């Protein structure tokens, strides 16, 4: 099943849930229409936030670590260079939708202090992902490709882990310099990703306090 088929299936289930929800049936009075709009806005916020949170949790703490420990390093790097732009696009888009929906539900002028903090957390999550997508990820990928070229010239990169790279870097100043620069850029990217995840975590605590299960 291709990604488009899976996406359309998810949209179909969502549409069915909206159509057959109790709030969908009834009169078309202005008040009830407003209530339905609010429900759809809340649903957009919740689903977008949940997608961003789940994707960030998986990519940051599970998927990336498993791939690094099991894939040859160059293969791992090439895979990450394709995944990261998609990952930051997805999470950033979801953060933008969540932020817009929350801002609609809680306009700044009439929001409480707590709600303004939550708007700030969502803005931060969006900004960190946008920075990663437009700044750090292109820089990281470019440096990775340059380093891969040097490593291939020295017959390393097909192993799992960093051991051979570190050994060669002791005798190849160019590789050592690339490692240092790559580490700095990748570190900034990882820091921005962690800050984004932390902002989403703060908002999850707020949402948990609002739920009535």
């Amino acid at each position: 099943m291709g990604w488009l088929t899976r996406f359309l299936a998810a949209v179909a289930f969502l549409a069915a849930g909206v159509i057959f929800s109790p709030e969908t049936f009834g009169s078309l009075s202005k008040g009830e229409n407003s209530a339905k709009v609010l429900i759809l806005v809340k649903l957009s916020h919740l689903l977008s936030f949940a997608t961003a949170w789940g994707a960030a949790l998986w990519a940051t703490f599970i998927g990336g670590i498993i791939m690094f420990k099991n894939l040859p390093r160059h293969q791992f790097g090439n895979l990450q260079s394709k995944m990261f732009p998609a990952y930051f696009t997805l999470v950033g888009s979801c953060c933008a939708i969540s932020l817009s929906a929350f801002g609609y539900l809680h306009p700044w002028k009439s929001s409480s202090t707590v709600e303004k903090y939550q708007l700030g957390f969502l803005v931060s999550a969006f900004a960190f992902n946008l920075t990663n997508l437009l700044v750090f990820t292109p820089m990281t990928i470019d440096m990775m490709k340059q380093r891969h070229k040097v490593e291939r010239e020295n017959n390393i990169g097909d192993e799992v882990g960093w051991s051979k790279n570190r050994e060669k870097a002791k005798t190849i100043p160019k590789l050592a310099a690339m490692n240092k620069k790559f580490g700095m850029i990748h570190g900034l990217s990882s820091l921005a990703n962690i800050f984004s995840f932390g902002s989403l975590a703060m908002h999850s605590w707020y949402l948990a306090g609002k739920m009535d299960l």
Side-chain angles (χ1 to χ4, degrees), residues 78-99:
N78 290 330
L79 178 60
Q80 292 288 76
S81 72
K82 303 299 182 184
M83 288 183 59
F84 274 153
Y87 163 64
F88 290 125
T89 298
L90 171 66
V91 177
S93 299
C94 287
C95 288
I97 295 171
S98 290
L99 173 60

Side-chain angles (χ1 to χ4, degrees), residues 68 73 76-78 80-81 84 136-148 151 162 165 174-190:
F68 179 75
R73 195 157 46 78
F76 166 75
N78 290 330
Q80 292 288 76
S81 72
F84 274 153
F136 295 137
T137 295
M139 293 172 65
T140 302
I141 293 173
D142 182 62
M143 178 52 59
M144 180 201 72
K145 290 180 178 179
Q146 294 181 39
R147 190 173 65 168
H148 280 189
E151 288 178 330
W162 287 102
N165 174 281
K174 184 178 181 180
L175 181 58
M178 284 184 166
N179 285 347
K180 184 177 180 180
K181 186 174 182 180
F182 178 85
M184 180 185 69
I185 299 171
H186 187 266
L188 290 172
S189 177
S190 298

Side-chain angles (χ1 to χ4, degrees), residues 181-204:
K181 186 174 182 180
F182 178 85
M184 180 185 69
I185 299 171
H186 187 266
L188 290 172
S189 177
S190 298
L191 191 62
N193 187 51
I194 289 295
F195 281 153
S196 172
F197 183 81
S199 298
L200 293 174
M202 295 299 292
H203 190 60
S204 72

Side-chain angles (χ1 to χ4, degrees), residues 112-127:
S112 66
T113 301
V114 172
E115 291 164 350
K116 289 179 179 178
Y117 273 119
Q118 297 309 312
L119 282 167
F121 288 134
L122 290 173
V123 168
S124 297
F126 172 71

Side-chain angles (χ1 to χ4, degrees), residues 13-188:
F13 278 111
L14 174 59
V18 172
I19 291 171
F20 293 104
S21 66
E23 293 81 3
T24 301
F25 299 99
S27 65
L28 297 176
S29 66
K30 183 176 180 181
E32 290 190 0
N33 276 335
S34 298
K36 291 174 184 177
V37 169
L38 287 178
I39 290 173
L40 289 174
V41 173
K42 290 178 181 180
L43 179 63
S44 298
H45 173 70
L46 183 61
L47 291 181
S48 297
F49 170 78
T51 301
W53 169 263
L57 178 66
W58 174 263
T60 304
F61 300 107
I62 303 173
I65 295 174
I66 292 174
M67 287 188 289
F68 179 75
K69 289 184 176 181
N70 292 277
L71 291 176
R73 195 157 46 78
H74 281 187
Q75 185 177 342
F76 166 75
N78 290 330
L79 178 60
Q80 292 288 76
S81 72
K82 303 299 182 184
M83 288 183 59
F84 274 153
Y87 163 64
F88 290 125
T89 298
L90 171 66
V91 177
S93 299
C94 287
C95 288
I97 295 171
S98 290
L99 173 60
S100 300
F102 194 84
Y104 177 85
L105 295 168
H106 305 283
W108 181 265
K109 290 185 178 180
S110 59
S111 294
S112 66
T113 301
V114 172
E115 291 164 350
K116 289 179 179 178
Y117 273 119
Q118 297 309 312
L119 282 167
F121 288 134
L122 290 173
V123 168
S124 297
F126 172 71
F128 284 127
N129 276 283
L130 191 64
T131 301
N132 248 329
L133 177 64
L134 300 179
V135 181
F136 295 137
T137 295
M139 293 172 65
T140 302
I141 293 173
D142 182 62
M143 178 52 59
M144 180 201 72
K145 290 180 178 179
Q146 294 181 39
R147 190 173 65 168
H148 280 189
K149 182 178 179 181
V150 174
E151 288 178 330
R152 283 194 295 269
E153 292 172 353
N154 290 274
N155 298 315
I156 58 175
D158 293 329
E159 71 286 350
V160 176
W162 287 102
S163 57
K164 288 187 177 181
N165 174 281
R166 290 171 178 169
E167 291 176 6
K168 289 285 186 178
K170 294 177 182 178
T171 58
I172 305 175
K174 184 178 181 180
L175 181 58
M178 284 184 166
N179 285 347
K180 184 177 180 180
K181 186 174 182 180
F182 178 85
M184 180 185 69
I185 299 171
H186 187 266
L188 290 172

